[in-house]
């Protein structure tokens, strides 16, 4: 009599067919065959990453900051004219068509060097001139020393008391030309007064001071006595 299982399956006593990784013989071989390719693939992947890193472009250095273009050298004739007007300690601050009137001009000053006793902010000056070139000759068209003056006299708003030091600010406007701002100082003390604005007036063809709105030009006074009477 043949032995049968309860299920009646004649193959119940034969080796159970299951997944390959559970079979004794083939399972070990399969596991080995699976591990070897895995190790090999990991090695290949690591090598590829290494070679890829070596072949990549090296990091580029950060671009250097753009260097500021050197300011043009002051022409010799302007330097000589500035020294003739202000002495050997003169410093040319700007030159060119400053007033936008088609004529060459220069701005020069006697600048007070920074010292422990002169620690005021900004450019501190004792004298300033604006000169214009006409027929190859340099002529003074604006002066700042103890007062503010042009060819016609004392500018409006110039202090009645002589000033020994000024804070100078200036800027170049593409339409209006050179704009100057003079703040009178009392010795080494900043008096915090409003700057006096000065600009080229195309109508009168000379530098004149501006009112406190910096929009309207003021007339000059031929003498300080007249200025004392009109500016009080």
């Amino acid at each position: 009599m043949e032995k049968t299982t309860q299920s009646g399956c004649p193959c119940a006593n034969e080796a159970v067919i299951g997944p390959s990784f559970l079979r004794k013989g083939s399972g070990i071989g399969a596991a080995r065959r699976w591990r070897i390719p895995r190790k090999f693939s990991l090695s290949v992947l690591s090598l590829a990453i290494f070679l890829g890193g070596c072949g990549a472009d090296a990091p580029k250095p950060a671009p250097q900051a753009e260097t500021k273009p050197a300011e043009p050298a002051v022409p010799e004739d302007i330097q000589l004219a500035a020294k003739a007007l202000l002495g050997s300690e003169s410093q040319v601050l700007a030159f060119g068509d400053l007033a936008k009137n088609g004529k060459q001009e220069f701005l020069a000053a006697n600048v007070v060097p920074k010292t422990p006793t002169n620690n005021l902010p900004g450019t501190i000056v004792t004298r300033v001139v604006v000169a214009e070139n006409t027929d190859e000759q340099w002529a003074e068209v604006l002066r700042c020393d103890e007062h503010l003056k042009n060819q016609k006299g004392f500018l409006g708003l110039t202090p009645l008391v002589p000033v020994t030091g000024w804070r100078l600010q200036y800027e170049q406007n593409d339409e209006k030309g050179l704009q100057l701002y003079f703040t009178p100082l009392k010795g080494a003390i900043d008096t915090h007064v409003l700057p006096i604005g000065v600009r080229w007036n195309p109508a009168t063809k000379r530098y004149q001071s501006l009112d406190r709105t910096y929009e309207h030009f003021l007339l000059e006074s031929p003498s300080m006595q007249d200025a004392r009477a009109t500016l009080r």
Side-chain angles (χ1 to χ4, degrees):
M1 174 182 285
E2 297 179 355
K3 294 182 180 179
T4 61
T5 61
Q6 293 179 356
S7 61
C9 178
C11 61
N13 290 334
E14 297 179 359
V16 178
I17 300 175
S20 61
F21 66 87
L22 293 179
R23 285 160 36 186
K24 181 177 180 180
S26 61
I28 297 174
R32 288 176 180 173
R33 287 197 299 272
W34 179 80
R35 288 196 198 100
I36 293 173
R38 183 184 181 191
K39 292 180 180 179
F40 179 76
S41 61
L42 290 177
S43 300
V44 172
L45 179 61
S46 301
L47 180 61
I49 295 174
F50 174 78
L51 294 177
C54 293
D57 293 338
K60 298 179 180 179
Q64 296 181 353
E66 294 184 2
T67 57
K68 185 179 179 180
E71 296 182 358
V74 180
E76 184 178 1
D77 64 322
I78 292 180
Q79 292 179 337
L80 294 175
K83 290 181 180 180
L85 294 172
L86 293 178
S88 59
E89 299 299 322
S90 63
Q91 182 177 341
V92 177
L93 303 178
F95 63 92
D97 186 7
L98 301 182
K100 301 302 179 184
N101 60 358
K103 294 186 177 181
Q104 291 296 304
E105 295 181 339
F106 70 79
L107 169 69
N110 293 135
V111 180
V112 179
K114 296 295 182 182
T115 63
T117 57
N118 171 34
N119 55 4
L120 295 174
T123 303
I124 308 303
V125 299
T126 54
R127 295 187 298 168
V128 179
V129 296
V130 176
E132 182 182 87
N133 191 311
T134 303
D135 298 330
E136 304 299 326
Q137 296 292 327
W138 290 101
E140 183 180 303
V141 293
L142 175 69
R143 173 171 284 266
C144 168
D145 44 28
E146 294 180 340
H147 304 282
L148 295 171
K149 296 171 283 188
N150 65 9
Q151 309 96 307
K152 296 292 184 179
F154 297 91
L155 301 189
L157 297 181
T158 187
L160 302 180
V161 177
V163 178
T164 57
W166 304 79
R167 176 184 292 111
L168 172 65
Q169 297 169 280
Y170 61 95
E171 60 185 7
Q172 189 70 23
N173 184 280
D174 293 337
E175 297 180 359
K176 298 178 180 180
L178 181 64
Q179 300 183 99
L180 300 159
Y181 300 93
F182 298 91
T183 304
L185 304 175
K186 186 177 180 181
I189 301 175
D190 190 344
T191 56
H192 297 287
V193 297
L194 291 176
I196 302 171
V198 178
R199 197 174 72 226
W200 176 264
N201 185 351
T204 61
K205 300 188 185 309
R206 58 181 180 268
Y207 282 92
Q208 292 180 309
S209 56
L210 300 160
D211 64 7
R212 288 307 184 191
T213 65
Y214 301 105
E215 295 180 357
H216 306 290
F217 289 99
L218 300 174
L219 294 177
E220 309 88 345
S221 298
S223 67
M224 282 304 298
Q225 291 181 350
D226 295 335
R228 190 178 299 275
T230 57
L231 299 179
R232 182 175 301 172

